[in-house]
């Protein structure tokens, strides 16, 4: 069964550094998403992306965050200057349409020290 | 603030029994509803989705949706130790897959 793949599985970075989290969505999916889950808390929506544009973003997704689809397969989340509170699991997801189920990748655990 | 609530504490069920999980949501306009299973430290795994009022069955899982009462439930029949996980209710609030998740219900199946 096709799946969403994310790399790296774990990223440790120092506060103030830039990180790029990578995702390869399912190949016939058109909609891409980033969610995050701080340890012990709910899964939270960050951003959705379609047709090379951001469709919607949450209040969490401020100017420190950006997304990009640099080629036909990858979808990336960049955090420009990481803060301690950015430590979380970051999940990429994709779907065929805006009303079909999301399929999540295995996640990247980001630790900011 | 549009919310998804899963208020039950950890649920312990004996192997072979039925586990019942409930979820309420605040926005009457919500369009689609999902149950995800999440093992500790892992990503959410889709178990069921339901769009219309009534029941939907898939193997040992049944999702039930009641839009008038704004709740969605999940039944796990013949519970197995491998079903021990946290179950997340998620609601597609605007039809754009901006999912709102509940905090989750931990299920422990006792052999």
């Amino acid at each position: 069964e096709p799946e969403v793949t994310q790399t790296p599985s774990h990223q440790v970075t120092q506060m103030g550094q830039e990180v790029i989290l990578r995702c390869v969505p399912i190949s016939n999916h058109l909609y891409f998403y980033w969610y995050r889950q701080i340890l012990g808390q709910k899964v939270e929506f960050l951003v959705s992306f379609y047709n090379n544009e951001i469709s919607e973003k949450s209040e969490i997704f401020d100017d420190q965050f950006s997304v990009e689809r640099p080629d036909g397969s990858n979808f990336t989340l960049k955090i420009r200057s990481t803060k301690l509170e950015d430590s979380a699991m970051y999940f990429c997801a994709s779907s065929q349409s805006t009303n079909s189920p999301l399929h999540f990748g295995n996640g990247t655990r980001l630790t900011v020290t | 603030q549009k919310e998804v609530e899963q208020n039950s504490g950890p649920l312990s069920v004996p192997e072979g029994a039925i586990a019942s999980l409930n979820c309420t949501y605040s926005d009457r306009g919500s369009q689609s509803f999902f149950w995800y299973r999440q093992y500790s430290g892992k990503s959410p795994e889709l178990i069921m989705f339901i769009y219309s009022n009534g029941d939907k069955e898939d193997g040992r899982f049944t999702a039930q949706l009641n839009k008038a009462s704004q709740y969605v439930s999940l039944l796990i029949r013949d519970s197995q130790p491998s079903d021990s996980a946290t179950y997340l209710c998620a609601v597609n609030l605007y039809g754009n897959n901006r999912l709102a998740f509940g905090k989750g219900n931990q299920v422990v199946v006792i052999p």
Side-chain angles (χ1 to χ4, degrees):
Chain A
E1 184 174 323
E3 56 182 33
V4 177
T5 57
Q6 289 185 245
T7 55
S9 56
H10 192 186
Q11 174 91 46
V12 181
T13 190
Q14 288 190 325
M15 196 166 52
Q17 295 297 302
E18 175 182 288
V19 294
I20 297 176
L21 310 183
R22 292 183 165 80
C23 169
V24 178
I26 294 173
S27 62
N28 65 342
H29 285 186
L30 301 177
Y31 296 82
F32 315 121
Y33 313 86
W34 285 100
Y35 283 76
R36 79 171 185 189
Q37 186 177 32
I38 295 170
L39 186 64
Q41 297 190 22
K42 294 182 182 184
V43 177
E44 302 173 290
F45 169 82
L46 292 179
V47 66
S48 59
F49 191 86
Y50 169 72
N51 200 24
N52 282 323
E53 287 184 344
I54 290 175
S55 306
E56 191 167 355
K57 57 185 181 179
S58 72
E59 51 282 356
I60 301 169
F61 194 89
D62 61 22
D63 291 344
Q64 298 282 51
F65 291 88
S66 62
V67 289
E68 193 179 30
R69 188 153 165 83
D71 53 44
S73 59
N74 290 286
F75 179 51
T76 61
L77 174 69
K78 182 193 290 186
I79 309 175
R80 261 179 273 282
S81 178
T82 49
K83 308 186 196 91
L84 294 176
E85 54 265 36
D86 294 328
S87 295
M89 280 287 283
Y90 287 80
F91 297 112
C92 175
S94 68
S95 68
Q96 288 183 318
S97 71
T98 55
N99 213 33
S100 57
L102 267 65
H103 295 266
F104 286 86
N106 286 334
T108 294
R109 180 174 298 284
L110 177 64
T111 303
V112 183
T113 62
Chain B
Q1 180 77 4
K2 300 184 190 298
E3 296 287 343
V4 177
E5 298 290 340
Q6 294 179 258
N7 287 326
S8 306
L11 179 65
S12 292
V13 295
E15 185 174 354
I18 295 175
S20 177
L21 305 172
N22 294 310
C23 169
T24 59
Y25 57 94
S26 61
D27 183 28
R28 191 170 288 277
S30 301
Q31 300 185 12
S32 48
F33 309 85
F34 306 90
W35 284 99
Y36 286 87
R37 178 174 63 198
Q38 188 175 35
Y39 295 112
S40 181
K42 303 296 184 183
S43 64
E45 175 192 4
L46 181 69
I47 297 296
M48 293 285 292
F49 60 93
I50 187 165
Y51 300 149
S52 305
N53 275 331
D55 295 0
K56 180 181 178 183
E57 188 174 312
D58 184 359
R60 296 186 295 110
F61 299 97
T62 298
Q64 299 172 317
L65 174 62
N66 184 324
K67 289 188 176 181
S69 300
Q70 294 175 237
Y71 81 80
V72 56
S73 61
L74 179 71
L75 299 178
I76 308 172
R77 288 183 300 282
D78 187 24
S79 296
Q80 302 297 307
S82 58
D83 295 328
S84 297
T86 297
Y87 289 80
L88 307 177
C89 174
V91 177
N92 189 354
L93 295 175
Y94 306 104
N96 59 3
N97 269 342
R98 178 174 177 162
L99 300 186
F101 281 82
K103 289 177 64 175
N105 286 126
Q106 186 182 9
V107 172
V108 178
V109 180
I110 303 165

